[in-house]
Amino acid sequence: MKIDQETIERVAANARLQLTPLEKKQYLKDLQDILSAFEKLAECNTDKVQTSIQPIPLSDVFRDDIEKECLSQDDALSLTKHSKNGYFKGPKAL
Amino acid sequence: MNIREFLSNAKKGSIDVKEHSAKVLQELKKINKEYFYLNAMAESPGFGRGKISGLPISVKDCLCVKGMESTAGSAILKGYVPLFDATAVERCRKDGAFILGKTAQDEFGFGSFNANVGNGFKIPLNPIDKNRVCGGSSGGAAGLAKKASFPHVALAESTGGSIVAPAAFCGVVGMCPTYGRVSRYGLIDYANSLDKIGPIAQSVEDTAFILELIAGHDIKDSTSSTEKVDSYISALSKGIKGKTIGILEEGFGEGVDPALAKRVKDAISKLESLGAKTARISLPLNSKYSLESYYVLATAEASTNLAKYCGMRYGAHENLHGSFNEYFTEVRSKNLGPEAKRRILLGTFARMAGYSAKFYSKAGKVRTLIIDEYKKAFKKVDLIASPTMPIIAPTFDEVKKLTPLQQYKMDLLTVGPNLAGLPHISVPCGDVKGMPVGLQLIADHFNESLLFSAGGSYENS
């Protein structure tokens, strides 16, 4: 399978990863090797076969809608280094 | 001393549990200095009252332990101290367990050798030969289970073989239950449709004891099963007479060390002498496609699971600057290790428009066929036997020479049952060049009892 530099950059950007030139070179080779091997899946006839979301089929799993105490605001903020006025503080949105 | 003996002695008063716990911590520090099995350790002995009061239990780093740093072996979660216990941990703690610490692992479980640790983490060393790997990804759990002189069970986790592989490499018992048998609540996910929590210990009996304690439905995990939990302890003495063991042809073929294969065949003969019948079986779809199907699904799920680590709410932080995307990209690029990046890239690619039908959707359909193939096999046999790993624990130099694809191929015998969510156990069955060999037995969904009957029979023979 042929993957070009542009594709690896697009995949990395989607995954929010900044790759060094050396990483780009290495991962390009690795992904080509690995995905070429994975292309073998195409040989397997899966006509009319449903996908398995999980190995054990599950359906209609519900629980009662009961109000419960949740994490306090202080606890929720206790693990961040970036908070302000009781809120998480993030980087600029705009 | 196994768990049963420890608890009995503690009850009689011939063991002072408080004193014992202090000694355990001392030994643990000594072991860790030399072998690097723990990423975090209890500062002082602490346990409650209950039926396992004071029993030392270690927890793989990807399971949340309240008040103890839990990083899944990744620098991106450095500093994350959970505010709650994972359900499996909570169930042990409720009955009085002494939680020793967090065991080393490949970053987020991404590895077969526990050599892919996160940035700044130490690689655990094999307890029998320090030049060799422990196996992954629950390497710290298996290494400690072997090395500790005190009674101990490690809570581990498997996505594609991470319980049985290190158990085989370190010469201990690893039990991976059916998908959904143990609640995943509080697990730092690798791949949600594949992750299972199970025990590693020195004996089949010890794994049975702890699985019985942690198994069962949990309202906090919608994928946990409501299926009744059997008495695994009772299963240990039920024997294997009349049960049919399917000898997996592909498990003894190309790529499998012949000397290792011989040890496993001898173990199967031993089970035969204890009353089991044998039959040869083949799982052609499993052997052709399970590895590919597994890695596509696992990396696709991992790439979405790891999207939440962005340096805002917990774990690694950087100074806030730039836009959202710039900040998240900086935190992730700096703190994720090389294999984590590789799997995120693979998984992101497999889900991208234009490729998802070819890879992600296809892999899910192939998984259906592989599950069907196992189900058909279990109409003819009760258990499927093969070596757990195709080789003995490799040296660090040998691992370095392998390409990522060659490393993935080492999981050939373990990805099948993991992909199909089937329970499986690895039991030590001799050695090659002084290194342990594991016999892998696979059973049908929710038939953990039969694995304990077979494993228990073998162990006591």
Side-chain angles (χ1 to χ4, degrees), chain B residues 212-279:
Chain B
E212 202 173 306
L213 192 78
I214 62 174
H217 180 247
D218 176 18
I219 199 161
K220 292 175 184 165
D221 172 9
S222 61
T223 62
S224 77
S225 176
T226 53
E227 194 90 13
K228 183 180 161 284
V229 178
D230 295 334
S231 168
Y232 301 138
I233 296 290
S234 313
L236 290 165
S237 53
K238 282 192 178 157
I240 191 73
K241 203 172 173 186
K243 299 293 178 190
T244 306
I245 299 172
I247 303 172
L248 183 64
E249 272 182 33
E250 297 86 5
F252 297 87
E254 202 189 325
V256 180
D257 176 350
L260 178 147
K262 170 82 172 56
R263 299 289 176 279
V264 175
K265 279 185 178 164
D266 290 346
I268 297 168
S269 299
K270 185 85 198 172
L271 287 168
E272 247 182 317
S273 73
L274 296 169
K277 292 179 276 186
T278 57

Side-chain angles (χ1 to χ4, degrees), chain A residues 63-82:
Chain A
R63 60 176 167 78
D64 294 335
D65 188 12
I66 302 167
E67 197 177 311
K68 280 184 184 170
E69 204 174 316
C70 66
L71 212 58
S72 73
Q73 197 172 7
D74 284 348
D75 280 347
L77 290 168
S78 65
L79 295 168
T80 186
K81 287 181 186 166
H82 304 311

Side-chain angles (χ1 to χ4, degrees), chain B residues 10-293:
Chain B
K11 200 174 174 183
K12 280 189 288 190
S14 51
I15 289 179
D16 180 325
V17 179
K18 208 172 167 185
E19 208 174 273
H20 180 265
S21 303
K23 280 185 189 162
V24 163
L25 270 189
Q26 273 177 6
E27 184 181 331
L28 205 56
K29 280 179 192 162
K30 210 174 146 198
I31 293 174
N32 205 39
K33 213 171 164 185
E34 206 177 334
Y35 291 90
F36 318 123
Y37 292 147
L38 292 163
N39 290 344
M41 200 187 300
E43 285 168 12
S44 55
F47 54 88
R49 286 171 185 270
K51 66 177 178 186
I52 58 165
S53 186
L55 179 72
I57 288 188
S58 65
V59 181
K60 187 173 177 180
D61 205 10
C62 58
L63 278 156
C64 287
V65 172
K66 189 176 178 179
M68 200 178 272
E69 189 181 53
S70 300
T71 68
S74 179
I76 207 162
L77 281 172
K78 262 286 175 201
Y80 172 52
V81 181
L83 300 161
F84 64 98
D85 279 329
T87 295
V89 175
E90 187 185 47
R91 288 182 181 180
C92 292
R93 226 202 277 260
K94 195 171 74 114
D95 275 328
F98 169 27
I99 304 296
L100 298 178
K102 308 301 303 295
T103 51
Q105 61 168 99
D106 287 289
E107 184 173 15
F108 290 108
F110 300 154
S112 312
F113 304 116
N114 208 157
N116 295 333
V117 295
N119 301 341
F121 287 82
K122 286 189 172 155
I123 297 174
L125 312 179
N126 191 289
I128 297 153
D129 177 352
K130 285 199 263 184
N131 293 314
R132 293 176 187 271
V133 299
C134 276
S137 64
S138 311
L144 185 60
K146 180 71 179 177
K147 201 74 196 164
S149 72
F150 48 84
H152 155 250
V153 175
L155 293 186
E157 178 276 339
S158 172
T159 307
S162 291
I163 290 177
V164 291
F169 281 173
C170 294
V172 286
V173 178
M175 170 68 196
C176 180
T178 307
Y179 177 82
R181 182 68 299 177
V182 176
S183 167
R184 291 183 297 111
Y185 179 76
L187 172 69
I188 301 171
D189 312 294
Y190 169 173
N192 309 47
S193 82
L194 296 156
D195 295 343
K196 284 92 45 194
I197 295 163
I200 295 180
Q202 284 198 356
S203 70
V204 175
E205 182 182 334
D206 285 355
T207 59
F209 190 92
I210 290 300
L211 185 63
E212 202 173 306
L213 192 78
I214 62 174
H217 180 247
D218 176 18
I219 199 161
K220 292 175 184 165
D221 172 9
S222 61
T223 62
S224 77
S225 176
T226 53
E227 194 90 13
K228 183 180 161 284
V229 178
D230 295 334
S231 168
Y232 301 138
I233 296 290
S234 313
L236 290 165
S237 53
K238 282 192 178 157
I240 191 73
K241 203 172 173 186
K243 299 293 178 190
T244 306
I245 299 172
I247 303 172
L248 183 64
E249 272 182 33
E250 297 86 5
F252 297 87
E254 202 189 325
V256 180
D257 176 350
L260 178 147
K262 170 82 172 56
R263 299 289 176 279
V264 175
K265 279 185 178 164
D266 290 346
I268 297 168
S269 299
K270 185 85 198 172
L271 287 168
E272 247 182 317
S273 73
L274 296 169
K277 292 179 276 186
T278 57
R280 296 190 76 78
I281 61 153
S282 176
L283 300 170
L285 284 175
N286 178 41
S287 68
K288 265 190 206 163
Y289 303 118
S290 63
L291 203 72
E292 291 76 9
S293 172

Side-chain angles (χ1 to χ4, degrees), chain B residues 387-450:
Chain B
T388 306
M389 294 301 280
I391 54 169
I392 55 166
T395 63
F396 289 102
D397 285 342
E398 286 166 342
V399 169
K400 272 182 202 156
K401 286 177 194 155
L402 298 172
T403 65
L405 184 60
Q406 285 170 327
Q407 292 200 19
Y408 298 172
K409 285 183 177 175
M410 289 293 164
D411 300 342
L412 185 64
L413 300 171
T414 61
V415 286
N418 279 277
L419 196 59
L422 295 162
H424 51 291
I425 193 168
S426 181
V427 183
C429 64
D431 62 89
V432 170
K433 294 179 193 162
M435 294 307 294
V437 173
L439 159 71
Q440 177 172 260
L441 295 169
I442 308 168
D444 202 355
H445 290 135
F446 301 106
N447 207 353
E448 283 81 0
S449 288
L450 185 56

Side-chain angles (χ1 to χ4, degrees), chain A residues 15-16 18 23 27 30 38-41 44 46 50-55 80-82 88 91-92, chain B residues 83 193 223 288-289 295 312-313 317-318 324-325 332-333 338 341-342 345 358 362 364 367-368 420:
Chain A
R16 305 292 182 269
Q18 173 81 47
E23 283 178 324
Y27 289 136
D30 292 346
F38 290 179
E39 278 187 307
K40 191 171 136 192
L41 286 171
C44 184
T46 53
Q50 294 287 315
T51 190
S52 296
I53 302 298
Q54 275 138 355
T80 186
K81 287 181 186 166
H82 304 311
F88 288 104
K92 284 179 196 163
Chain B
L83 300 161
S193 82
T223 62
K288 265 190 206 163
Y289 303 118
Y295 270 99
M312 266 189 66
R313 290 158 295 161
H317 291 70
E318 300 294 332
F324 263 81
N325 280 342
R332 291 163 62 77
S333 305
K341 288 180 186 172
R342 187 178 290 110
L345 292 171
K358 184 176 176 178
K362 184 79 181 180
R367 166 151 76 172
T368 305

